[in-house]
Amino acid sequence: MANKRASLESITLLGAGLVGSLLAIYLKRKGYHVTVFDKRPDLRKTGEVGGRSINLALSRRGYRALEEVGLAGEVQKLMLPMKGRMMHDEKGNLTHQPYGKEGQVINSISRGRLNDLLVTEAEKLGVKINFGEKCIDVDLKAARVQLENSATGAVSKVTSDIVIGTDGAFSALRNVMQKEDRFNYSQYYLEHGYKEISIPPTASGDFAMDHQSLHIWPRGKFMLIALPNLDKSFTCTLFFPFSGQPSFESLHNEKELVAFFQSTFPDILAYMPDLAGEYFKNPTSSLVTIKCYPWSSHGKTLILGDASHAIVPFYGQGMNAGFEDCRILNEVIEEQDGDWPAIFEAFQKQRKPDADAIATLAFQNFIEMRDKVADPDFLLSKKIEARLHQLFSTRWIPQYSMTTFSDVPYAEALAIGQQQSAIMERVMKTPNIEVTWEQLDFEAIVNALDQRKITLKTQ
Ligand SMILES: Cc1cc2nc3c(=O)[nH]c(=O)nc-3n(C[C@H](O)[C@H](O)[C@H](O)COP(=O)(O)OP(=O)(O)OC[C@H]3O[C@@H](n4cnc5c(N)ncnc54)[C@H](O)[C@@H]3O)c2cc1C
């Protein structure tokens, strides 16, 4: 809702990525004067995707924010629903595991097309977006940003009432905050990087594999995944160690690469006509977790999205968490009646525990996806949890469902999930559980969980 005071205030956003462009829409709808600066060119004109993953999994938290700003219809046109995980073993055998109950899906969506939609909508509302303008410094007390034009090298300064950094994991605003007293910061790089390789549509113009699944080739210390695209191709991502055996470092040429794929992912090779071409051309990118606090400074600046909490991509929640940041910030602006120092304080206090929790969950899911999803005991425990959820839908909600299909704060999803794991560990020790699991006392299992009231608002 627009308020009178907002119309007198100007906000500078750094970064017109996924989070920045959505936040611009929220703030403009509230009545603020919003100007955005992004260092990259306008991708609608260049047709690039920005060097990051081609597609992403959009789930409830992200979708809810998009719905709130009136974009549900447009976004739906870009979504491809994925009902579950399709695991591919070394022999090419398939196992399907639904993500949730009937109707609960995550959605593959093109990063570029979603970003274009958000930027275009922000401009339609009157937001001025300046591309090719890189922030090189910020005066935190004066809310003044210094920008460098990528074409001319010209440097300019812009002062506004508020500056918000949605400039991603390597945020320029955060860089300046880091020099402030009592600013906490940590970054942690995985030993794994990632590389994308595509699977084109078949000769008859169809998807090469089931397009309603997120495909996983779990291989213990590494994995390959694939998400469908609207043009009936898939984008595969290989999460692989940088060094060691096998690793990005250990595959030197086409012969070694093809032999490795043949023995490790045998059922995929036929679908990748340009495996070596893409593998040796596409970048190998790193994966980082960034934590910091406070997220605001001098009551005039704030960082949001990956700028304040970059996480590894294994829960498919980075963008979703950033979109949820925007929704919650919007609520807090309302609650604090536009008083920025109070807004920033309330927002960061509320959101920091959740950002830490999703970072932990994302890391745990890496182990689960690359390793555990191939384990029959793990699959059985998920089946038992699904039955518990079916029987006691509000009292036992699997952690994945809380994280992906509900708005339960991430910190709560993590805490409840930890209790559930401990209970399931005991349950899985039941003699002959593989054959007797349907005779378990499901009510006793649910009663063992410290009950809190969770209302699962499903999609
Ligand atoms: C391989 C991979 C897969 C992923 N999969 C998923 C998924 O399935 N689901 C999900 O929810 N999330 C996923 N994520 C996470 C998601 O990509 C990020 O959380 C999301 O992009 C964060 O958005 P953002 O706007 O905060 O940052 P970014 O998308 O990084 O955007 C930052 C913007 O700021 C601009 N910028 C940077 N520096 C400056 C500067 N100095 N001055 C001006 N502009 C600047 C950049 O050009 C960019 O446009 C994935 C990430 C990776 C790496």
Side-chain angles (χ1 to χ4, degrees), residues 14-21 37-40 52-53 55-59 111 115 133-136 147 166-173 194 196 227 237 239 286-287 304-307 309-323:
L14 300 173
L18 294 168
V19 175
S21 48
F37 297 95
D38 198 297
K39 66 176 181 183
R40 62 173 165 86
R52 299 280 295 280
S53 63
N55 52 24
L56 304 140
L58 172 71
S59 50
R111 176 190 291 275
N115 209 159
E133 293 282 352
K134 180 182 179 179
C135 172
I136 50 173
L147 302 150
T166 45
D167 48 348
F170 303 99
S171 165
L173 175 52
Y194 71 94
E196 290 182 330
L227 274 73
T237 311
F239 295 100
S286 52
L287 295 162
L304 205 96
D306 273 18
H309 50 74
I311 59 175
V312 290
F314 305 108
Y315 225 117
Q317 284 295 316
M319 165 189 66
N320 286 288
F323 284 2

Side-chain angles (χ1 to χ4, degrees), residues 101 388-397 454 456:
K101 292 192 291 195
L388 286 166
H389 185 40
Q390 191 188 17
L391 294 171
F392 305 96
S393 64
T394 57
R395 294 175 63 204
W396 187 288
I397 304 167
I454 322 160
L456 181 66

